[in-house]
Amino acid sequence: MKTGRAELKRRARQALRGHYGTAIGGYLLYMVISGVLVGVLEVAIFFMIMAGGFVADQTGLFDASSGEGAFLVVFIICILLFIAMLVIVYMLMPGLIRLHMNICKGEPAAAMDIFWGFRNKPGKFAGIALLIFLISILCSIPSTVLSMAAMLTEYKTFPVVFNFVYTLILSVLSIYVSLTFSMVYFILVEDPGKGLIQALKESRNMMIGNRLRFLGLSLSFLGWMCLGMMSFGIGMLWIMPYMTCTTIYFYLDLQPQIETIPPQMTWNQPF
Amino acid sequence: MEQKNDMALTSMILGIASIVLSCCCYLGMILGSLAIIFAALSRVDEMHRQAKTGLITGIIGLLISVFVIVIFFVVAEMAGGVS
């Protein structure tokens, strides 16, 4: 039976009652780690560029060939650092889902659960991050090549029209694909023994006839997001766990054999 | 008698504070939106009385804050630019 949006949200609010501290702790840890990693990456890139310039200046090797070589080395190191950051951030996501899944199922949950991805099949989650990175790089190749060609040649109209149409098609396709495979993380978190291909197939089968329903559910949080932004991001600390728990109840609802009624909490528990 | 609901109580406090501090531009807006968020999240089956108060006062505080911000920018523009 398909449960309505309002009921899924009601269950999420009920499950989170008394557990907001844990969920917010998890999100704060996730944001701090992501922020620190982004900061480290930016500082590393800045120092590499500065150090590269200083070395080239001191050694007098700043001719065209060595300049290109230095740029290539810095570029490769930056790409590797970016991939490492992406992998770590994507490996924290399963932990965050696990934390919220425990809350939704009434099982013990702690903020440190966000590191669950590092202990359970870390290679698989790192593989997902690399796969997403590769797909996004491959998708951006045509428009990048055409933009560069437009800069070098006199033909400007075609690249602009192509990029517009390509971006439009890519946006629609990416929404469709992300809706189809939106349950992959939940499947893998619930049963880490499953393979990536199996999880992708299961997610596709689960979402047949439910894509629009999930899109509607996701869009129904737009008002919440506006409120979160108006509170300068403070409100997002409460909204993000709410959104994640609602999505988990949506996922559990796609499995009719599982009881998805949230644990009963008393009113006077702290949040 | 209604059960104690900390989130609804917080919403009410934030809502009232947002009206009081709505002249402080962004502070009223932050408190008002937080009051609305807490009021909505505190509801499971039906909304607590304090949450209703928090929701109403939060909306009022938020609207006054937005109005104050708009007035501030209009006056600043008329006085010779915001910068």
Side-chain angles (χ1 to χ4, degrees), chain A residues 68-213:
Chain A
E68 276 176 18
F71 174 75
L72 196 69
V73 169
V74 168
F75 183 72
I76 290 169
I77 292 172
C78 289
I79 291 286
L80 289 175
L81 278 172
F82 179 73
I83 291 172
M85 186 197 80
L86 205 72
V87 166
I88 293 171
V89 170
Y90 269 85
M91 278 171 77
L92 288 172
M93 273 170 65
L96 211 53
I97 292 171
R98 182 77 182 183
L99 165 67
H100 288 84
M101 203 171 257
N102 285 343
I103 290 173
C104 290
K105 288 182 173 177
E107 290 166 9
M112 297 308 278
D113 282 348
I114 68 155
F115 300 108
W116 179 87
F118 291 92
R119 295 190 298 268
N120 294 278
K121 313 266 180 189
K124 195 183 294 175
F125 296 117
I128 295 174
L130 288 174
L131 194 71
I132 291 170
F133 177 73
L134 277 176
I135 291 171
S136 47
I137 288 287
L138 284 174
C139 289
S140 66
I141 284 176
S143 59
T144 311
V145 169
L146 215 66
S147 300
M148 286 172 78
M151 281 195 287
L152 298 172
T153 58
E154 289 176 358
Y155 300 105
K156 307 283 182 199
T157 319
F158 175 70
V160 169
V161 173
F162 176 83
N163 273 346
F164 177 73
V165 175
Y166 184 72
T167 312
L168 208 68
I169 293 170
L170 207 65
S171 306
V172 174
L173 262 175
S174 60
I175 289 171
Y176 181 82
V177 171
S178 59
L179 283 174
T180 305
F181 301 115
S182 53
M183 297 297 133
V184 169
Y185 263 115
F186 299 99
I187 293 166
L188 288 176
V189 166
E190 204 176 27
D191 186 0
K194 282 180 183 166
L196 183 58
I197 302 295
Q198 192 189 351
L200 286 167
K201 279 180 186 167
E202 272 187 33
S203 175
R204 193 188 61 194
N205 292 335
M206 269 181 165
M207 292 305 284
I208 292 172
N210 288 304
R211 286 188 192 92
L212 279 178
R213 200 174 145 228

Side-chain angles (χ1 to χ4, degrees), chain B residues 18-77:
Chain B
S18 77
I19 294 179
V20 175
L21 299 169
S22 56
C23 53
C24 305
C25 283
Y26 297 113
L27 199 58
M29 193 170 81
I30 293 170
L31 296 177
S33 22
L34 282 177
I36 297 169
I37 290 169
F38 285 149
L41 287 179
S42 70
R43 181 174 63 98
V44 173
D45 289 316
E46 64 178 71
M47 200 174 262
H48 201 272
R49 206 174 47 200
Q50 289 171 331
K52 278 181 195 167
T53 314
L55 185 69
I56 295 164
T57 50
I59 291 170
I60 294 168
L62 185 67
L63 290 176
I64 296 172
S65 300
V66 171
F67 181 72
V68 167
I69 291 167
V70 171
I71 291 292
F72 171 78
F73 277 102
V74 169
V75 170
E77 191 62 39

